[in-house]
Amino acid sequence: NAISTNDPLGAPSPSSDYWGGVVYAENSEFSNNWRCIEFMSYPFFEQKSQFKNCTFERNPEFTYPSGTNIPALVSIWHTEGIQFEECQFLNHQNGIGLIIFDGNAIVSAGNIFENNGIAISSQSTFPFGSDLEIGKDGSTTNLFIDNRFGVRSNATDKFEGLLIINNEFITTDSFNLIQTSIDLAGPSR
């Protein structure tokens, strides 16, 4: 992991006492990491983490060891309000660009998700929920290009639910790619 808010001691049973933290990254590139960013549970803190003009990518020549779960480029677990602006999530063809479990992310303006299995996934475990804001009025459009799924939401039933505003979903090669722009399953608002 390039950045992790996990237990720094690396104990076999990590202690949640060491989870959480604030990350601010601008004009940065995260390439060919096991996972670019890993946010661990930090639910009782007003999150200020932001990523501006960052690239999260997997070089197509990079391979994960066989038999392993392929992690998302960026994963957020039970943390609220992490913001992405003018970022790129690229070339994670068999994986997920951004995944949120039981939390919230704001994918505001000018982000590009290209050539991913799933660009953005929002999931939750009972009784928790998640919410997700993708785009906003009057801002630069977010682009979703040649992803198998643009947005897959399995549980955006908390607070604001799922907001998708001012985004473009584009398929450049309709013969070789079947794209679902927005896939909703489970409880949603």
Side-chain angles (χ1 to χ4, degrees):
N1 296 322
I3 296 176
S4 176
T5 63
N6 202 342
D7 181 352
L9 304 175
S13 298
S15 170
S16 60
D17 293 341
Y18 294 98
W19 291 351
V22 175
V23 177
Y24 181 86
E26 187 172 358
N27 302 322
S28 300
E29 183 175 316
F30 301 88
S31 182
N32 294 335
N33 301 279
W34 176 258
R35 182 183 294 114
C36 297
I37 312 293
E38 174 189 52
F39 278 96
M40 297 298 286
S41 179
Y42 205 45
F44 305 110
F45 177 75
E46 185 179 343
Q47 186 58 255
K48 300 291 185 188
S49 291
Q50 294 182 29
F51 297 88
K52 291 185 171 188
N53 193 32
C54 291
T55 299
F56 309 100
E57 68 179 327
R58 178 183 173 266
N59 184 316
E61 294 153 13
F62 178 83
T63 57
Y64 291 99
S66 63
T68 59
N69 291 330
I70 299 173
L73 294 172
V74 176
S75 65
I76 299 169
W77 173 46
H78 206 198
T79 301
E80 310 290 330
I82 298 171
Q83 298 184 41
F84 299 88
E85 185 175 341
E86 297 179 354
C87 292
Q88 297 181 55
F89 295 77
L90 307 173
N91 300 320
H92 203 27
Q93 298 156 335
N94 295 319
I96 300 170
L98 171 62
I99 190 167
I100 301 100
F101 286 100
D102 301 334
N104 161 271
I106 301 165
V107 182
S108 61
N111 296 286
I112 299 172
F113 294 83
E114 186 170 4
N115 201 22
N116 299 289
I118 302 171
I120 301 175
S121 178
S122 176
Q123 301 180 14
S124 72
T125 55
F126 184 80
F128 302 106
S130 63
D131 58 9
L132 181 59
E133 184 178 329
I134 306 170
K136 62 183 177 181
D137 283 330
S139 66
T140 306
T141 301
N142 290 316
L143 297 176
F144 293 80
I145 305 167
D146 291 340
N147 302 286
R148 279 195 313 258
F149 289 90
V151 177
R152 179 178 260 183
S153 176
N154 293 343
T156 48
D157 57 350
K158 185 173 80 172
F159 305 120
E160 296 296 324
L162 176 63
L163 301 174
I164 301 175
I165 303 166
N166 196 20
N167 297 276
E168 283 189 48
F169 297 86
I170 301 164
T171 302
T172 61
D173 185 354
S174 59
F175 294 105
N176 294 320
L177 181 71
I178 297 172
Q179 175 172 306
T180 301
S181 297
I182 301 170
D183 180 38
L184 301 176
S188 296
R189 293 179 62 173

